[in-house]
């Protein structure tokens, strides 16, 4: 441990000489803010934090870290839910907080070029001002950054119609573990020269390279959006409502589901939701005004047939934003309701959604925990929360998490729909991938990072 610390501090000194001492932090108190993220992973303080102001400076940091064999953990907004930005083996945290330039928004090419520290919500505003649209919208959009979004392949409610971050990454400038700068991908929307390397880097959780510039595909902004709320008497009925919307031939841009506890929590945060709802579907439709109006009718009929107690349409941007604010704050609000909470993220085939929801309720009851599930039902992506107050139940929560992962795999699903593996879910990855695929992943890692300095202790 001491040798590791000494080596990290020697590397930090060398970084200071190369890019300026003011860019290096070694003061223990100041290092605290680089220790944790928004997951259940215990924070771990790095030996140093480095805040480069350019891609070239970031490359210099990586070169020096490689020479000293010191771990480097990239960090963007620090909102990750799987421990990705936590420097579990100490070393250097490389923060993207000064890499915040939106370099270009090109209306004709429908492309944005950004640095990794740009906050997602800021990019949304900048492109929407020009009538353009960048669909990925994790609920953390006010504080997560594009670097973290690409590294986690972030999704969000709109992924159902528009896909996740990987669908929008055209080109990446990457600093390798050795400190070389490479560009993978292409600026035009089409291009098939060579292997699809952006696909390898997107979702690599900071373990294969450091992104310093990201070229993203944009879309024209949809002219009209409507939000629809449908309360249901129970969760399975809401699950059937999801199927009914799809069976009616609609692809809403958002198709979310919430159980009773989530509905109560959203209501307690000030959203005007109908009393008595034990489950809720939140759907959003976009397109031309006439098209959206027609789709609303079809969706209403489908939901009615599935047993919705009423259909409410949020009129106007203020009402929609109030609803979305409550939805975005849901995870934190659930956290406030009990002294302990773990949250998980799984995805199952949509046809298994109702069965999964029912079995999740049983898992919570079996382990004497309070369960709360919401999620992007259109994608089969569920956020499963277990809450408790009695510290004696900590072990039950671990067992409930393991049971949830087993359930996801039994349903032919995945242990992570969008939050990634990081350090928190490593123990479940082998069950999903099997030894052959695990070895393949480790081979990629060895090829790109032979010294194992990029975000060690994560993913594979
Ligand atoms: C309230 C809340 C709601 C959320 N909702 C959603 C949601 O709806 N959908 C969803 O997908 N996620 C959601 N998340 C999870 C989280 O916001 C996303 O995973 C997000 O993409 C993380 O971005 P970040 O900038 O905070 O990354 P960080 O937490 O800083 O880092 C995440 C990972 O990215 C790596 N990384 C960071 N920068 C770089 C870089 N420049 N190059 C290479 N690797 C890098 C880090 O090493 C780490 O492994 C939510 C989180 C919270 C707290």
């Amino acid at each position: 441990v001491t040798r590791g610390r000494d080596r990290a501090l020697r590397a930090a000194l060398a970084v200071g000489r190369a890019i300026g001492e003011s860019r290096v932090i070694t003061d223990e108190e100041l290092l605290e803010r680089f220790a944790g993220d928004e997951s259940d992973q215990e924070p771990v303080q790095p030996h140093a934090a480095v805040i480069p102001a350019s891609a070239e400076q970031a490359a210099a940091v990586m070169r020096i870290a490689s020479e000293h064999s010191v771990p480097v953990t990239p960090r963007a907004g620090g909102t990750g839910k799987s421990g990705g930005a936590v420097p579990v083996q100490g070393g250097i945290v490389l923060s993207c907080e000064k890499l915040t330039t939106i370099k270009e928004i090109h209306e004709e090419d429908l492309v944005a070029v950004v640095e990794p520290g740009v906050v997602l919500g800021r990019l949304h505003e900048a492109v929407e001002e020009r009538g353009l649209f960048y669909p990925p919208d994790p609920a953390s959009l006010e504080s997560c950054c594009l670097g973290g979004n690409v590294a986690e392949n972030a999704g969000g409610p709109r992924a159902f119609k528009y896909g996740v971050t990987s669908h929008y990454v055209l080109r990446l400038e990457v600093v390798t573990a050795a400190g070389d700068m490479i560009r993978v991908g292409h600026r035009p929307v089409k291009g098939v020269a060579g292997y699809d390397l952006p696909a390898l880097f997107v979702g690599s959780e900071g373990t294969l390279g450091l992104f310093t510039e990201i070229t993203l595909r944009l879309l024209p902004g949809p002219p009209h959006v409507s939000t629809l709320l449908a309360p249901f008497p129970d969760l399975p009925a809401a699950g059937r409502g999801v199927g009914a919307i799809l069976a009616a031939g609609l692809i809403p841009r958002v198709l979310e589901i919430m159980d009773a506890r989530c509905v109560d929590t959203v209501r307690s945060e000030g959203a005007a939701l109908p009393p008595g709802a034990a489950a809720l579907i939140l759907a959003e439709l976009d397109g031309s005004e006439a098209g959206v109006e027609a789709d609303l009718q079809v969706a209403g009929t489908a939901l009615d047939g599935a047993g919705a107690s009423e259909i409410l349409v949020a009129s106007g941007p203020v009402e929609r934003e109030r609803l979305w604010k409550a939805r975005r704050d849901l995870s934190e609000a659930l956290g406030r309701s009990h002294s302990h909470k773990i949250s998980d993220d799984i995805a199952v085939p949509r046809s298994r959604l109702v069965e999964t929801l029912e079995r999740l309720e049983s898992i919570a009851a079996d382990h004497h925990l309070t369960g709360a599930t919401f999620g992007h039902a259109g994608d089969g992506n569920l956020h499963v929360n277990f809450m408790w107050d009695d510290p004696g139940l900590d072990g039950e929560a671990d067992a409930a998490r393991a049971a949830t992962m087993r359930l996801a795999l039994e349903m032919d699903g995945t242990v992570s729909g969008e939050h990634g593996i990081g350090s928190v879910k490593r123990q479940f990855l082998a069950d999903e991938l099997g030894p052959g695929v695990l070895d393949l992943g480790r081979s990629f890692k060895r090829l790109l990072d032979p010294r194992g300095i990029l975000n060690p202790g994560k993913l594979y």
Side-chain angles (χ1 to χ4, degrees):
V1 170
T2 312
R3 267 214 313 276
R5 182 174 182 276
D6 289 349
R7 217 170 37 224
L9 291 179
R10 272 202 303 279
L13 264 180
V15 168
R17 282 195 295 273
I19 69 169
E21 280 169 21
S22 63
R23 311 237 144 262
V24 180
I25 296 172
T26 50
D27 181 301
E28 297 222 342
E29 258 178 44
L30 298 177
L31 285 174
E32 241 170 63
R33 73 182 174 96
F34 303 98
D37 66 1
E38 295 290 335
S39 71
D40 312 322
Q41 169 66 51
E42 278 295 311
V44 177
Q45 200 141 310
H47 298 113
V50 175
I51 308 177
S54 66
E56 290 69 26
Q57 289 189 355
V61 177
M62 285 312 306
R63 268 194 301 277
I64 292 165
S66 172
E67 280 158 21
H68 289 75
S69 283
V70 167
V72 175
T73 301
R75 181 183 182 90
T79 68
K81 300 279 269 181
S82 52
V86 180
V88 291
Q89 295 188 13
I92 292 174
V93 163
L94 192 154
S95 167
C96 299
E97 67 196 56
K98 291 289 177 206
L99 303 172
T100 57
T101 307
I102 298 178
K103 292 181 165 181
E104 188 187 348
I105 294 174
H106 197 291
E107 292 177 29
E108 192 175 353
D109 288 351
L110 286 174
V111 152
V113 182
V114 300
E115 289 189 320
V118 170
V119 171
L120 174 63
R122 209 181 118 220
L123 178 69
H124 279 175
E125 275 169 30
V127 301
E128 283 163 22
E129 268 168 20
R130 298 174 190 220
L132 303 176
F133 185 40
Y134 177 69
D137 62 338
S140 50
L141 59 89
E142 299 298 344
S143 44
C144 68
C145 303
L146 270 307
N149 291 173
V150 174
E152 298 289 350
N153 196 7
R158 298 197 294 228
F160 178 55
K161 178 170 178 180
Y162 289 106
V164 295
T165 302
S166 59
H167 294 95
Y168 296 89
V169 176
L170 292 171
R171 182 160 68 188
L172 292 172
E173 180 183 82
V174 183
V175 173
T176 66
D180 299 322
M181 279 170 75
I182 57 171
R183 277 187 157 196
V184 296
H186 39 75
R187 181 170 168 126
V189 170
K190 284 182 101 173
V192 292
Y195 291 136
D196 185 2
L197 291 180
L200 178 63
F201 282 102
V202 176
S204 60
E205 303 191 10
T207 64
L208 296 183
L210 174 82
F211 316 134
T212 45
E213 185 190 277
I214 301 161
T215 302
L216 295 165
R217 175 184 181 195
L218 303 175
L219 298 177
H224 192 74
V225 183
S226 262
T227 304
L228 174 155
L229 265 183
F232 282 83
D234 56 58
L235 195 54
R240 285 191 293 277
V242 170
I245 288 218
L246 302 178
L250 298 176
I251 303 282
R253 75 171 187 178
V254 166
L255 191 47
E256 299 273 299
I257 198 166
M258 285 182 210
D259 72 5
R261 188 157 298 278
C262 296
V263 175
D264 287 346
T265 306
V266 169
R267 192 186 288 111
S268 70
E269 297 284 310
L273 297 182
L280 199 76
I281 284 184
L282 172 67
E284 206 163 73
L285 297 149
D286 66 359
S288 70
E289 192 167 353
V292 170
E293 285 304 318
D295 286 352
L296 277 174
Q297 295 294 332
V298 176
T301 309
L303 291 170
D304 200 35
S309 41
E310 58 184 316
I311 316 284
L312 304 158
V313 177
S315 53
V318 176
E319 206 177 314
R320 281 187 49 231
E321 182 44 35
R322 214 181 54 221
L323 201 63
W324 275 109
K325 169 109 182 49
R327 162 62 186 85
R328 282 197 289 267
D329 294 345
L330 178 55
S331 180
E332 283 173 24
L334 287 172
R336 287 193 289 274
S337 70
H338 288 69
S339 44
H340 303 279
K341 174 181 92 118
I342 54 169
S343 42
D344 258 311
D345 138 76
I346 57 169
V348 297
R350 259 192 318 263
S351 56
R352 318 290 297 269
L353 200 61
V354 173
E355 186 184 352
T356 305
L357 289 166
E358 284 171 338
R359 290 194 39 197
L360 285 170
E361 287 188 343
S362 306
I363 291 177
D366 289 350
H367 293 279
H368 318 290
L369 304 166
T370 303
T373 300
F374 63 94
H376 318 306
D379 296 316
N381 183 190
L382 296 173
H383 295 314
V384 183
N385 300 271
F386 296 115
M387 284 104 58
W388 68 103
D389 289 314
D390 173 2
L393 289 175
D394 290 3
E396 295 290 335
D398 291 339
R401 165 172 276 168
T404 303
M405 298 305 131
R406 281 196 301 276
L407 174 63
L409 296 181
E410 193 189 319
M411 296 286 139
D412 202 11
T414 171
V415 296
S416 182
E418 58 180 15
H419 289 168
I421 299 299
S423 51
V424 172
K425 285 215 181 149
R426 285 182 87 195
Q427 58 176 314
F428 305 112
L429 189 63
D431 293 338
E432 177 166 338
L433 300 186
V437 177
L438 211 57
D439 277 351
L440 185 64
R442 288 179 178 143
S443 309
F444 286 132
K445 171 73 175 165
R446 273 195 299 276
L447 182 70
L448 287 164
D449 180 17
R451 295 186 178 194
I453 59 166
L454 265 169
N455 211 357
K458 309 292 166 60
L459 201 52
Y460 291 94

